[in-house]
Amino acid sequence: MSKIALITGITGQDGSYLAQLLLTKGYEVHGIRRRASSFNTMRLEALHQHSLSGAPSRLRLHFGDLTDASSVTQVIAKVQPDEIYNLGAQSHVNVSFGTPEYTTDVNALGPVRILEAIRSLKIGNKVRFYQASTSEIFGATQEAPQNESTAFSPRSPYAIAKLHAYWTTRLYRQAYGVHASNGILFNHESPMRGETFVTRKITRGIADIERGLQSSIVLGNLDATRDWGHARDYVEGMWRMLQQPEGDDYVLATGVSHTVRTFVETAFRHVGRTIIWEGEDLSEVGRDAVSGQVLVRCDGQHLRPSEVGALIGDASKAKARLGWTPRASFEDLVEEMMVHDMRLGGFSNFTSRAPSRQSGLLESA
Ligand code: NAP
Ligand code: F7E
């Protein structure tokens, strides 16, 4: 009998990679998707098309929302999953400053709703639960690198809500014996990354500059540093956490950090351009060393009311207990994203391609 997995946030970056991984491992995969007025399952289309060519689809989507306990409970009761991966979230840190209440509802109360559903359906001894926690909970910490013992110091409504979820997950593990794990994941990117996160904004922006569709990329803090890995490696770590005999908390990270500035320089190198920097703070620009064209500008609208410190992760525990190590280097990651975005059409956005078989994924529409 194949295992059954339920993924919230299946339409997102990690959801699509995790669904792919689990299908490859023979799972029956169910996902919760939000109702939207336009199609939002483009990242899953390739998986669905793949299944059309062979056996009946092992991927099923159900309408639901983490802000709606009844939908969450109904889907869990219907699917009877062996594993639940809670990836659904308002995941944009900067957006969370403008929507603190909504972000808290989805990111903090969403996991409470799932874990209460597990309890009320009395499946706590059968189901395993993964919570998508984040390096953002370390926030302003002075300690580097950060690991599972580092003190938390969240600096955004996003991080505070995720910290609530972190403690909730631990509580249900300790108090009710649920196999529940927090994956404290540092930034991970891919060609499937949302277009408003800085890495994809840069790679898409460069592709559109090369096509003559825009003249420059407008960014915020160029000196922010992040520990960037590849989403494909990180979903493998999520799965490994749920294969352990007990639930636990694990950091997943590469242990190497770079600035946004370095990401920009590395990505432009892919199209044969060298960037030279001029000016300071918001007046700083990045010019093409040969033509002198301004390719990068700064704008205060992309600065955050408060920024995190130098986040860099220590994933020794995951390496020792899960046998997990990230495969893709920073250079591999930038290269893959650039190759992908350079191949896409003008105003490259996979979400803008008209889907034809969307409803085939749905149990009820
Ligand atoms: P993402 O691409 O933004 O995907 C978020 C997913 O959550 C989307 O499928 C979205 O649905 C869904 N969602 C949003 N609000 C929801 C709601 N009210 N009810 C149900 N689903 C909802 O994020 P990601 O990069 O894949 O990240 C996955 C998870 O890991 C998130 O929880 C994120 O906070 C966390 N995380 C990410 C990173 C990272 O670097 N990527 C690092 C640490 C932790 P729509 O498609 O309808 O918007
Ligand atoms: O910002 C700086 C910005 O939005 C990275 C989420 O997946 O990872 C992600 O959150 C850095 C920040 O990701 C722009 O100030 C400069 O310092 O790509 P980001 P994030 O905030 O690190 C964590 C681990 C998560 O959990 C989240 O869900 O880049 N930056 N200029 C910019 N950032 C954006 N978005 N846009 C800019 O123009």
Side-chain angles (χ1 to χ4, degrees), residues 91 134-135 158 187 193 196 198 201 220-221 224 226 304 307:
S91 68
T134 167
S135 51
Y158 169 81
N187 295 53
R193 187 55 142 156
T196 60
V198 76
K201 184 173 168 183
N221 182 1
R226 288 293 187 280
R304 298 166 183 195
E307 182 61 274

Side-chain angles (χ1 to χ4, degrees), residues 134-152:
T134 167
S135 51
E136 287 288 304
I137 61 179
F138 298 125
T141 183
Q142 297 295 309
E143 191 180 317
Q146 297 90 37
N147 63 26
E148 295 79 3
S149 311
T150 303
F152 305 123

Side-chain angles (χ1 to χ4, degrees), residues 9-15 32 34 40 43 64-67 86-91 102 106 132-135 158 162 185-189 193-194 197:
I10 194 167
T11 56
Q13 170 188 255
D14 291 5
I32 293 183
R34 295 193 287 175
N40 62 357
R43 289 181 175 102
D65 198 300
L66 286 165
T67 61
N86 181 36
L87 310 185
Q90 190 304 91
S91 68
Y102 174 71
V106 181
S133 189
T134 167
S135 51
Y158 169 81
K162 285 283 187 177
L185 271 51
F186 283 63
N187 295 53
H188 44 280
E189 320 291 311
R193 187 55 142 156
F197 297 95

Side-chain angles (χ1 to χ4, degrees), residues 254-265:
T254 69
V256 182
S257 74
H258 295 89
T259 60
V260 170
R261 189 187 297 280
T262 303
F263 194 103
V264 169
E265 291 166 356

